[in-house]
Amino acid sequence: MSAPTRQEASAGPRVSPRARDAKRFIVGIAAIAALGGALFGYDTGVISGALPFMEDHFGLTSLGEGVITSALLIGAAFGSLIGGRMSDALGRRNSLLWAGAVFIGGALAVALSPGVPVMTAARFVLGLAVGSASVITPLYLSEIAPPHIRGRLVSFNSLMIVSGQLLAYLINAVLARWEAWRWMLGLAALPAVALFAGLFFLPDTPRWYISKGRRDEAARVLGRTLPAEDVPAELARIDQARKVEAGARCGAWQQLRTPWVRRLLLIGIGLAAVQQITGVNAVVYFAPKILASTGLGTGAAITATIAVGAVSVLATAIGMSLIDRVGRRPLLLTGLAGMTVALALLGASFRLPHSAAVSALVLGLMVLYMAFMQATLNTGVWLLLAEMFPLTVRGLAMGAAVFVMWVVNFAVALVFPVLLDAIGAGATFWFFGAMCVLSLVFCKRYAPETKGLALEDLEHELRKAAGADADADADTGASAVAGVAAAHPTD
């Protein structure tokens, strides 16, 4: 046998044309669908730079700042409920098309608003699109991705969210010199047009097609993401899950009354609340205001906020690379511990006299906090919410959990500027640190592990864990759901 040539030896294993086509298809889906995440990030992040100029233009008080900021968030809360139900009825893709259209109209309406009432109403409407996209995008990606890359693909949506926020911070810094806050807000219409146009080229998910009895279309989509020999088995797995659910003979609302489904919903709602009560969006929305309280000027504070966005993108990319290897629970617990330390130090730093060094210290601790948050909690919670609910109620249950997430987000955004004025930044950040400790206890006890399992297999494991729960003491049984983590430590 002759030795391989140098060219042959360095070529490595060949990738089949089918595998290359599947990879291109998945990358294309991720790039287009995750524009919804980028719009989510841009529309939530851009207010941080626009708000100081809107404050002067409209004569806003601290409460007025909170109202305008939070109007989008209460709209997003209702949008998440609409998005969950709509995605079950119309499909994941068609629902994203609706959200894209509202993104375009909402962004233009916000930018052209003549006064506070119109601005508040326009941001509420824009929030409907933000909330819908926050539910539908991870749902779409989780259902169309092969199991071995599902974590990374769904987490790509989280990367796009923080990338959208970074883009907002960069545009804010450029336009701040002209105080062009209307342009800051209106530029969100451009990626919204790209999302709307791109969605016409995407299919819906196999699981939604099967839920509507469209098996041939489901097979065609699976054939573009899996080897041909794996398609029949995947169809059978999804079909079997559907038959089990159909045998229950009850609708989605009735399914939520099933004890094991209700327990998962409560855990999902708890995880959604954890993501917000730990303070992340206080930093996202009000970073320039926080930095200005240490003595920085408005322009310098807006520019310094770019560091928060840049580290958020880098940290999310790191979290994406770890989540399918390390698992969801370890990332959540590690992140919450790191966030607690960062917030404790951040609160203490506001007790120091104002100076350039203190401003740099506050910025550094905010960056450290965001690094822990984005690499772990933000990535992990969005992925768990997209994975942990059974197919029959997935859209509804995820919509309910994300509704709670946006309601808590709304409360934080409304109250934070008032708290800053009332008790000071130090005590406010210590409060968020205490919430991190409580959240760590909750996640350690209840957060499930979903790494490495197909969605239908995961549903079986969670159902089994909750079934064992029902036979145990009701006060301690919920911890069995978290036991899935121990049952599959290396999946």
Side-chain angles (χ1 to χ4, degrees), residues 33-45:
L35 278 172
L39 283 162
F40 172 177
Y42 187 93
D43 285 314
T44 53

Side-chain angles (χ1 to χ4, degrees), residues 40 43-49 51 69-70 72-73 123 165 169 276 280-290 406 409-410 412-414 416:
F40 172 177
D43 285 314
T44 53
V46 71
I47 195 67
S48 67
L51 202 56
T69 301
S70 60
L72 182 142
L73 307 176
R123 279 183 58 81
Q165 290 170 349
Y169 297 152
Q276 295 302 317
V280 57
N281 284 315
V283 176
V284 171
Y285 304 145
F286 299 106
K289 185 178 179 71
I290 295 167
W406 285 112
N409 191 345
F410 162 78
V412 170
L414 182 64
F416 183 76

Side-chain angles (χ1 to χ4, degrees), residues 147-233:
H148 66 285
I149 63 166
R150 188 177 67 238
R152 278 170 288 167
L153 192 60
V154 177
S155 298
F156 182 66
N157 183 57
S158 297
L159 180 64
M160 291 298 286
I161 292 172
V162 293
S163 296
Q165 290 170 349
L166 175 58
L167 178 62
Y169 297 152
L170 289 168
I171 289 175
N172 287 348
V174 171
L175 296 179
R177 69 184 66 182
W178 297 290
E179 300 186 7
W181 59 271
R182 292 188 186 275
W183 281 96
M184 295 176 187
L185 298 170
L187 285 173
L190 296 180
V193 170
L195 172 67
F196 186 79
L199 283 166
F200 284 99
F201 299 95
L202 299 187
D204 218 305
T205 71
R207 287 169 178 82
W208 186 78
Y209 282 136
I210 286 182
S211 74
K212 300 301 178 183
R214 297 159 66 175
R215 186 181 178 88
D216 290 343
E217 291 166 277
R220 281 197 292 273
V221 177
L222 286 172
R224 300 187 67 180
T225 61
L226 295 173
E229 60 272 17
D230 293 344
V231 171

